[in-house]
Amino acid sequence: MLRPRDIRRHSRGSHFIVQNTPLLLAVILLIATLLFYVGLFFTSLGRFPGNFEITSTINGAMPLILSATGQTVVFLSRGIDLSVGGMVDLTNSLAATRMGDNPISMALWSFVILLVGAAGGLINGLLVTLGRLQPILVTLATLSIFQGIAIKVLPQPGGKVPVAYTAFLTNPEHPWALVFVMLFIFLWFIFRRTPFGVAVYAIGNDEEAARANGIHVTRTRVGAYVVGGILAAAAGLFLAATTTSGDATAGDSYTLTSIAAAFLGGTTIFGGRGSALGSIAGALVLSIIISVLFFAGINQLYEAFYQGMFLVVAVALSMLLGRFFGRKRR
Amino acid sequence: MLLFIIGAIVRPSFIAPNSVKSVLVVASFVGFVATGQAFVILIGGIDLSVPWVLNASAILLVTSSLGQDDRAIQAVLLCLGLGLLVGLINGLGIVFLSVPAVVMTLGVNGIMQGLTLGLSKGFTCRSCSANSPPVVSSAVGGNLLGIPADLYIWFGIVLLVTFVLGFTSFGRKVYAVGNNTRASYLAGVNVNFVTVALYMLSGLFAAFTGIALVGYSGSPSLGIGDPYLFQSIAAVVIGGVSILGGRGNYLGVVAGSISLVALISVLQIMNIPDYGRSILYGVVVILILLLYGREERET
């Protein structure tokens, strides 16, 4: 006869480890990369990276952090958003051409641009749910559409972003970037506890069960794409602020890097698992690698090689570790 | 699908044999890549490493052959070997490390990109006679009975792949794995072997496309493979292959490649500026998908 205490239970600690292996791995990876970065920085310049370096690194990573988090929310709902790059292109071009010099028009346009992101996400979401199309195909097509509109808005690289805007969003003199990241993490914890956040995780884990529990699956899924679009738009704004000008193709790479960052952070494509924290760590890792390579004196052309290597090794490792812990559990 | 091609041909000046031929030749490159892509999509996978495998092969061809005919065969074999090797790595990672296909091939694409850029120093080796060997060029770009040789190759591949998928036990295993991996494993199909083999085929076809493209245009360039990722996926899916695996046939993929390229060339002929083409391309793909690619309601 089975008595309750015969059922093996995990201590809270080991349960946490089993549940969060990928996230822990991402954090460990981030710490390792950081140490490596600081070490190389110290040996080549003879001092530790100061506020300026840290802030500008985070500033540079900000678009990736935002777009990767957007990608994460879509992943959680068991989707994928390939149009992220096009949305970053479009919003980046809009920011570089439309923003006036006075604060009111800046704020207004920032808001409009976020709305554009939401609208793009809404189109993706509606086509996926009501159109019953595969997410990968829908967003592939909208990627092309967004890229086209971006080129229409800004045919040649150029335009300019007001200095005040750059100073506000990405000022390397003051640690605003850290504040933004903290604020963002705080917002994530709120999101995680809202009914919508819970619903996104629920449909990612088991759509039928979620529906049976009264979750509006269609609305939640569309919502996930809308959030993804808004965050991609925010990434475009930050990109414009850091580069101080616009380029209708500058955002293209974010499609693949946002996916890579989300994966590095332990979010799976099968939905329901992962968090923004992991993606933020993943995005930082991918960005810091570039600085590490720079200080290590490795040719920039090999950049993609190391990013790819990191991605494959990290995911393979987390899979193997997950299997290891999973077996131990039984 | 036919309707769509006819609609494209209705445009005047589009029916001229020469333009039809050039559309078909361009379509054949998409078709080659899409062949490999179709294989992995049939088992519910995806190969995102296509662009830089293609590019690496294109550059390897000219750097190893140095544009000389007597080195051409070794160079071509080397390139195809490269494709097979990358496919093997993809397949092994997916099967034995259980890395999701999207991640594995995405990472490998980055690795290939870094290696290609790094080893070629970012140049396409313009100083060291960066031309394809004439033999390769004539094998791809030459004419036979007024039809580009390239199209014969494609036709051969179409026959071969249709035969393999439709009439061999390997083909049946591919569909079986795509439909239900577990059931086919229990039925005695060596799932791991089939998966690895298909990724190797995908790598092979990507490398082959690289050779064909260089042979056709004479010299490689960096970024030559980039458009082929999305086009190959789009062609496969427009051709009616289910992205979830297990359904679809190769002739559909051929039609998909042709109609996709026809669409692009129609837009070019109509003098629509770049941005408009990009937008229309997306809109038309969505419309086609809405017509053909909808999933059946499962519940």
Side-chain angles (χ1 to χ4, degrees):
Chain A
M1 199 181 136
L2 200 68
R3 281 165 301 174
R5 69 188 157 100
D6 286 341
I7 299 169
R8 281 179 58 191
R9 278 205 59 206
H10 292 285
S11 66
R12 269 184 90 87
S14 93
H15 180 75
F16 180 80
I17 291 175
V18 171
Q19 285 288 305
N20 293 298
T21 315
L23 180 59
L24 287 179
L25 208 69
V27 173
I28 292 170
L29 200 64
L30 175 60
I31 294 171
T33 332
L34 264 178
L35 286 178
F36 207 50
Y37 168 70
V38 172
L40 277 169
F41 191 94
F42 188 74
T43 46
S44 63
L45 291 184
R47 63 182 180 88
F48 288 107
N51 176 40
F52 182 84
E53 283 82 12
I54 294 171
T55 327
S56 48
T57 305
I58 298 180
N59 278 337
M62 212 54 198
L64 186 53
I65 289 178
L66 289 166
S67 54
T69 309
Q71 190 71 262
T72 304
V73 176
V74 178
F75 272 2
L76 287 174
S77 75
R78 214 179 276 191
I80 188 168
D81 188 354
L82 298 179
S83 71
V84 165
M87 186 46 79
V88 175
D89 282 340
L90 173 58
T91 50
N92 185 21
S93 315
L94 279 175
T97 48
R98 296 291 187 277
M99 238 171 230
D101 273 329
N102 62 324
I104 297 169
S105 102
M106 271 186 245
L108 204 65
W109 270 104
S110 302
F111 184 68
V112 170
I113 286 169
L114 292 180
L115 276 186
V116 169
L122 186 66
I123 296 172
N124 281 336
L126 289 179
L127 281 169
V128 168
T129 51
L130 300 183
R132 297 206 302 278
L133 298 175
Q134 280 295 317
I136 199 167
L137 306 172
V138 169
T139 53
L140 201 63
T142 50
L143 170 71
S144 177
I145 297 176
F146 296 155
Q147 281 173 332
I149 304 175
I151 294 172
K152 167 74 180 157
V153 170
L154 184 68
Q156 282 113 22
K160 83 175 180 24
V161 179
V163 182
Y165 199 70
T166 303
F168 175 66
L169 277 185
T170 56
N171 192 338
E173 307 295 335
H174 304 289
W176 287 129
L178 269 177
V179 175
F180 279 126
V181 175
M182 292 299 164
L183 190 72
F184 195 53
I185 292 175
F186 180 67
L187 282 177
W188 171 259
F189 276 109
I190 293 177
F191 163 79
R192 192 69 184 78
R193 272 152 192 77
T194 56
F196 173 64
V198 173
V200 168
Y201 273 87
I203 64 168
N205 272 316
D206 192 333
E207 195 180 314
E208 287 314 307
R211 185 175 287 133
N213 274 300
I215 284 174
H216 202 302
V217 174
T218 308
R219 202 182 298 159
T220 310
R221 181 153 288 151
V222 173
Y225 281 96
V226 170
V227 171
I230 294 175
L231 287 176
L237 285 178
F238 265 92
L239 187 66
T242 28
T243 53
T244 66
S245 73
D247 181 349
T249 56
D252 287 350
S253 61
Y254 285 98
T255 294
L256 294 184
T257 46
S258 68
I259 295 175
F263 269 115
L264 268 182
T267 305
T268 73
I269 200 165
F270 308 113
R273 233 153 254 233
S275 81
L277 301 182
S279 303
I280 293 171
L284 282 172
V285 168
L286 283 179
S287 313
I288 296 173
I289 291 176
I290 296 171
S291 314
V292 169
L293 293 181
F294 174 76
F295 282 114
I298 290 168
N299 195 330
Q300 252 196 331
L301 295 171
Y302 284 106
E303 201 179 291
F305 172 78
Y306 287 98
Q307 287 190 336
M309 228 27 185
F310 250 68
L311 179 62
V312 170
V313 171
V315 174
L317 211 62
S318 89
M319 285 290 163
L320 289 177
L321 279 181
R323 214 188 280 169
F324 176 71
F325 280 118
R327 198 169 291 156
K328 219 169 136 190
R329 198 160 34 157
R330 252 165 248 146
Chain B
M1 212 47 48
L2 262 175
L3 262 176
F4 181 58
I5 298 171
I6 292 167
I9 292 174
V10 163
R11 291 270 145 215
S13 87
F14 203 72
I15 353 165
N18 275 333
S19 76
V20 169
K21 246 184 261 172
S22 66
V23 166
L24 282 177
V25 169
V26 176
S28 74
F29 300 132
V30 178
F32 292 149
V33 187
T35 309
Q37 194 71 261
F39 277 131
V40 291
I41 289 182
L42 271 177
I43 56 162
I46 197 158
D47 189 351
L48 301 179
S49 68
V50 160
W52 283 94
V53 173
L54 194 162
N55 211 330
S57 145
I59 288 179
L60 187 65
L61 177 73
V62 292
T63 47
S64 63
S65 70
L66 300 172
Q68 292 160 9
D69 267 352
D70 48 346
R71 287 175 162 219
I73 293 179
Q74 289 95 313
V76 167
L77 288 179
L78 195 64
C79 292
L80 295 179
L82 172 84
L84 284 175
L85 180 69
V86 175
L88 180 67
I89 296 172
N90 276 333
L92 290 180
I94 292 163
V95 168
F96 291 108
L97 296 175
S98 53
V99 179
V102 178
V103 190
M104 190 66 206
T105 53
L106 182 68
V108 166
N109 187 48
I111 292 174
M112 291 308 293
Q113 180 181 3
L115 280 182
T116 311
L117 289 176
L119 295 179
S120 67
K121 307 275 185 304
F123 297 110
T124 48
C125 190
R126 210 166 272 149
S127 52
C128 57
S129 78
N131 285 318
S132 75
V135 174
V136 177
S137 293
S138 61
V140 178
N143 272 312
L144 200 64
L145 305 174
I147 297 171
D150 179 63
L151 294 182
Y152 288 108
I153 302 178
W154 195 18
F155 190 63
I157 291 178
V158 170
L159 285 184
L160 191 68
V161 171
T162 312
F163 175 76
V164 167
L165 280 181
F167 299 99
T168 62
S169 65
F170 181 75
R172 224 157 296 148
K173 282 176 190 166
V174 171
Y175 283 104
V177 173
N179 270 317
N180 192 333
T181 314
R182 205 173 151 67
S184 45
Y185 174 77
L186 293 174
V189 175
N190 191 340
V191 174
N192 291 351
F193 172 76
V194 171
T195 308
V196 175
L198 291 181
Y199 278 96
M200 286 176 76
L201 279 177
S202 177
L204 181 73
F205 274 106
F208 178 74
T209 315
I211 299 172
L213 266 178
V214 173
Y216 187 67
S217 66
S219 60
S221 59
L222 293 170
I224 190 176
D226 286 349
Y228 287 92
L229 172 59
F230 290 156
Q231 285 188 13
S232 68
I233 298 176
V236 169
V237 174
I238 291 175
V241 176
S242 159
I243 198 125
L244 302 172
R247 260 178 298 143
N249 66 54
Y250 184 63
L251 286 178
V253 176
V254 175
S257 317
I258 296 176
S259 37
L260 196 67
V261 173
L263 167 66
I264 296 173
S265 358
V266 168
L267 295 179
Q268 265 163 354
I269 286 172
M270 284 159 72
N271 271 331
I272 292 172
D274 248 355
Y275 68 86
R277 227 182 291 156
S278 183
I279 297 171
L280 274 173
Y281 176 59
V283 170
V284 172
V285 168
I286 287 182
L287 288 180
I288 295 174
L289 288 173
L290 282 174
L291 283 174
Y292 295 90
R294 283 166 72 116
E295 289 168 71
E296 283 112 51
R297 270 251 172 267
E298 277 156 24
T299 47

